[in-house]
Amino acid sequence: MLVLDGKIAAAAVKATLLEQTQALKAAGKRMPHLAAILVGNNGASETYVASKVKNCEETGFGSSLYRMEADVEEAVLLAKIAELNQDPNCDGILVQLPLPKHIKESNIIEAIDPAKDVDGFHPVNVGRLVQGLNTFIPATPYGIILMLEHFNIETKGKNAVVIGRSNIVGRPMSILLSSNIAQGNCTVTICHSHTKNLKEICLGADMIVAALGVPNFLTGDMIKPGAVIVDVGITRVEDATAKKGFRIKGDVHYEEACAKASAITPVPGGVGLMTIAGLLKNTMKAYQGL
Ligand code: GUN
């Protein structure tokens, strides 16, 4: 069984990006720059954004982090986005989700210039993804594709099941896996909370992408021998014996899945690291021009 190690695949992506930024530096050029906006103090969001900023540094990218209070008015956030849209030194804009309830997420996403939308969440970019046009692929599905590519996982003609239909992961993942791209050409089934016979559907899958946010949801009895298992879950589960008081749990029962799968992504150390690789690649793409 092959462990699809995110550290290895992400390091390869980052090494290529570092070469590119070093070449830019040698040529006296401006560095790619990511602006991240963090509203409130959700612990998981703080960790993700800190990691995005750190990874920018490691690959020679510039970054700015703008923090706003949880009760910030939507208009203030929109004004910051408008300013960044106009800033020629800012290539990519990322507003960490989720946002506090009083802010309408779609207003924020639609305010970002599609050419700086490195999350690939703007409807223009989602439309381009659906039509197979050049676009920013949302970072997590992009990272998964990069991971499959790195480990030469063949997907053509395979039955893929995606569990979860979020705009951030499940929906774009299903589109990519069904697209005519190197790590696509699957027959895709997208499952969600109203799906009947989920176990039977999963047992017919050559690849399962679990992206529903329920720890240990996918158990061994739902997995066909030899299937490829991609675990997108990163739920914090309280654990008094852990140093931070919690542990990160995936959507897949790892030990049971290992007994069935031909390849599996671990949690932590799998898809999460690839999300950042996808984001950095998108930021470089924004810098170069879509
Ligand atoms: N929240 C969880 N995943 C993501 C992501 O990929 N981008 C943003 N902006 N917020 C998130």
Side-chain angles (χ1 to χ4, degrees), residues 30 44 52 77 81 87 109 125 139-140 145 151 154 170 175 178-179 182 184 191 202 279 286 289:
R30 177 178 77 77
K52 289 169 184 178
L77 182 50
I81 292 169
D87 182 348
I109 289 168
N125 286 323
T140 300
I145 296 292
F151 290 101
E154 176 65 76
I175 294 163
S178 69
S179 298
C191 299
C202 287
L279 172 69

Side-chain angles (χ1 to χ4, degrees), residues 73-270:
E73 279 182 38
E74 187 173 299
V76 174
L77 182 50
L78 288 170
K80 187 75 214 171
I81 292 169
E83 180 193 317
L84 293 168
N85 280 343
Q86 296 303 321
D87 182 348
N89 293 316
C90 165
D91 302 292
I93 304 170
L94 175 148
V95 180
Q96 187 66 25
L97 303 179
L99 289 168
K101 293 243 175 328
H102 68 282
I103 297 176
K104 196 169 171 205
E105 243 166 52
S106 60
N107 287 349
I108 302 307
I109 289 168
E110 288 172 35
I112 297 171
D113 179 347
K116 297 191 177 189
D117 170 37
V118 286
D119 264 323
F121 295 161
H122 192 289
V124 164
N125 286 323
V126 177
R128 295 179 69 87
L129 182 73
V130 170
Q131 296 194 348
L133 302 172
N134 187 28
T135 188
F136 297 111
I137 303 169
T140 300
Y142 191 14
I144 293 169
I145 296 292
L146 293 169
M147 169 91 96
L148 297 174
E149 192 180 296
H150 182 87
F151 290 101
N152 290 315
I153 304 287
E154 176 65 76
T155 57
K156 190 164 56 185
K158 300 273 173 73
N159 287 329
V161 167
V162 178
I163 312 175
R165 56 180 164 185
S166 72
N167 290 339
I168 296 180
V169 187
R171 184 84 58 195
M173 190 76 240
S174 69
I175 294 163
L176 283 164
L177 288 173
S178 69
S179 298
N180 187 8
I181 56 172
Q183 258 61 42
N185 289 306
C186 292
T187 302
V188 180
T189 306
I190 181 157
C191 299
H192 45 75
S193 50
H194 294 281
T195 298
K196 297 199 172 87
N197 306 326
L198 181 67
K199 182 174 168 182
E200 284 68 29
I201 294 169
C202 287
L203 282 169
D206 305 306
M207 181 189 308
I208 302 177
V209 179
L212 68 161
V214 179
N216 292 337
F217 179 85
L218 192 79
T219 45
D221 59 328
M222 301 167 82
I223 298 171
K224 180 166 93 171
V228 173
I229 304 297
V230 177
D231 190 350
V232 185
I234 29 165
T235 307
R236 291 182 169 198
V237 176
E238 273 185 42
D239 183 341
T241 67
K243 217 194 285 170
K244 292 181 178 164
F246 64 85
R247 281 185 205 284
I248 302 293
K249 282 276 175 203
D251 290 349
V252 177
H253 192 300
Y254 190 75
E255 289 75 22
E256 288 185 17
C258 281
K260 293 283 191 71
S262 61
I264 187 166
T265 64
V267 175

Side-chain angles (χ1 to χ4, degrees), residues 10-26 31-32 55-61 280 284:
V13 172
K14 283 167 62 182
T16 305
L17 289 168
L18 184 60
E19 275 174 26
Q20 289 177 274
T21 54
Q22 281 173 340
L24 289 170
K25 201 175 202 173
M31 293 294 111
N55 276 270
C56 278
E57 276 167 24
E58 287 169 2
T59 38
F61 288 42
L280 293 170
M284 179 58 89

